[in-house]
Amino acid sequence: MPPYIIMPLFILSFLLLPTLSYASDDGPRVENLTETEIKYAHIYYYYNLTEHILPARDGDVSSGGYKFFIPAPERMAGITYVGHAARFRMVLERARKGERLRIGAIGGSITAGQGVGGARFTYIKKFIDWLNIVMPPNDTSGSPTAQQANFPTPSVDGANGTHPQHDFVNGAVPGTESAYSSSCLHHHLIPEPDLVFVDYAVSDLPSAPWTSEGHIRRPMERLVRKVLDLPTRPAVVLVNMFAMGPSYGKYWYTAERDFMEFATYYSLPAVSLKAAVLPAAYAGGPEKLALGAIFNGGLNHPGRGGHVVVFEVLVTLVMKTQRRFWRP
């Protein structure tokens, strides 16, 4: 079949996916999914990161330490920019040495947990749980956690572990754009952060008139600059999620393509759900990346599969960055 016929059919399959629905307590809803998509939708739904963690040497997760479910080519494709990542490298080194980090996440409804059954099933919660296991702080001394300090944490999972944990606040607010967080940053970001994850690729409008006055990318850049200029000089990671509805099923029709300008200019590590999944799906790649298995969280949100993909891409980013840091 000629490529010009395949591509419209591929886009049409995107537009059918909004009929898929949300995670429930009994498992993912699987209407309109193929047998393969149903199989992997259930695997992602019950994904348990503790079953994938392997022994590592002295916290050096770059030596191994994780049994990935997503193939390496797709995980590497999902790391869309690294740059010198100086702040990110320093934060990882501090974590490796056992320092207690203060980590925040800001974004919209995807990072808040809509479409997957709540915040405890998001990519960021999985990442924090993984970090607490493989590079926990040496002790519980220091400033109180965000919850102990009564900081507003509407999206934070309340489960407590049995070992010391890094301080973490998920400050994502459903239905908001970067302009909101830029104006109300202190209400949603953990005080004195060391590491901040920013996700507005779906929430912000996809098109940007760069040449006009007051263009719509100014709030995002203002937000990035505000976070970078905080007294603690935190590391920032751009997380670019993807959903079928806002993009109209088009690979390029998201704010992510403009956000990459900020990644390269400010040397911010960036990860991308669409870069990890869509090219492989279009080319008939691994069946575990079948679209229905990843994008079954409704019109505006990926399902749990999308969060698993981004989580494993973030772990890969950490390993890649640490490997380059320790083995120049």
Side-chain angles (χ1 to χ4, degrees):
M1 184 179 294
Y4 58 83
I5 296 178
I6 294 176
M7 190 60 175
L9 291 177
F10 182 60
I11 293 176
L12 178 61
S13 70
F14 280 178
L15 300 180
L16 293 176
L17 285 171
T19 61
L20 307 180
S21 49
Y22 307 85
S24 68
D25 293 337
D26 301 323
R29 292 184 61 181
V30 295
E31 293 89 343
N32 304 314
L33 298 187
T34 66
E35 290 186 6
T36 297
E37 290 171 334
I38 291 173
K39 170 186 173 182
Y40 287 104
H42 279 90
I43 291 175
Y44 290 128
Y45 186 89
Y46 295 107
Y47 181 93
N48 183 350
L49 68 91
T50 61
E51 298 175 353
H52 295 258
I53 295 177
L54 303 174
R57 298 190 303 272
D58 299 324
D60 180 3
V61 295
S62 66
S63 65
Y66 203 81
K67 183 179 180 181
F68 291 99
F69 185 72
I70 305 302
E74 284 67 42
R75 285 185 284 112
M76 295 303 295
I79 302 174
T80 47
Y81 190 73
V82 178
H84 63 70
R87 294 190 185 185
F88 189 54
R89 296 174 189 277
M90 292 298 102
V91 166
L92 294 180
E93 177 66 2
R94 290 171 55 195
R96 188 184 70 86
K97 292 180 177 179
E99 290 190 35
R100 182 175 176 180
L101 302 180
R102 298 177 63 79
I103 304 171
I106 50 178
S109 56
I110 294 178
T111 296
Q114 289 194 358
V116 294
R120 67 185 185 275
F121 301 111
T122 59
Y123 69 90
I124 188 61
K125 183 59 167 63
K126 295 180 189 298
F127 180 82
I128 297 299
D129 289 345
W130 171 79
L131 189 67
N132 282 330
I133 294 172
V134 301
M135 287 185 280
N138 288 331
D139 56 61
T140 58
S141 62
S143 60
T145 65
Q147 287 178 302
Q148 291 171 335
N150 295 319
F151 190 81
T153 57
S155 300
V156 175
D157 178 28
N160 293 317
T162 58
H163 49 74
Q165 298 185 8
H166 299 284
D167 294 335
F168 168 62
V169 168
N170 185 342
V173 180
T176 61
E177 300 178 352
S178 60
Y180 169 79
S181 286
S182 177
S183 300
C184 304
L185 182 63
H186 66 286
H187 290 297
H188 302 285
L189 184 62
I190 187 172
E192 301 179 353
D194 300 302
L195 175 60
V196 180
F197 294 85
V198 180
D199 167 35
Y200 286 102
V202 174
S203 300
D204 280 15
L205 295 176
S207 59
W210 284 97
T211 58
S212 66
E213 288 296 324
H215 63 70
I216 60 176
R217 292 296 174 249
R218 284 186 176 178
M220 180 62 175
E221 184 172 20
R222 185 163 54 242
L223 172 61
V224 169
R225 291 172 66 95
K226 279 186 175 181
V227 176
L228 290 173
D229 286 342
L230 289 172
T232 53
R233 295 295 187 264
V236 174
V237 176
L238 296 184
V239 178
N240 295 311
M241 299 298 283
F242 186 83
M244 297 302 176
S247 66
Y248 294 97
K250 299 176 181 178
Y251 182 86
W252 54 268
Y253 195 64
T254 77
E256 177 177 344
R257 60 196 178 98
D258 292 331
F259 289 176
M260 289 304 297
E261 302 290 347
F262 303 142
T264 57
Y265 187 82
Y266 296 104
S267 198
L268 308 177
V271 299
S272 168
L273 175 58
K274 73 173 188 179
V277 173
L278 269 59
Y282 172 60
E287 62 180 17
K288 62 180 62 176
L289 295 178
L291 294 179
I294 304 296
F295 298 103
N296 54 16
L299 184 67
N300 298 314
H301 312 93
R304 292 190 187 182
H307 287 262
V308 169
V309 171
V310 171
F311 158 66
E312 290 203 353
V313 170
L314 286 172
V315 173
T316 304
L317 172 65
V318 170
M319 292 182 174
K320 177 181 179 181
T321 304
Q322 286 191 319
R323 184 176 297 114
R324 291 174 60 186
F325 184 81
W326 289 325
R327 301 181 181 89

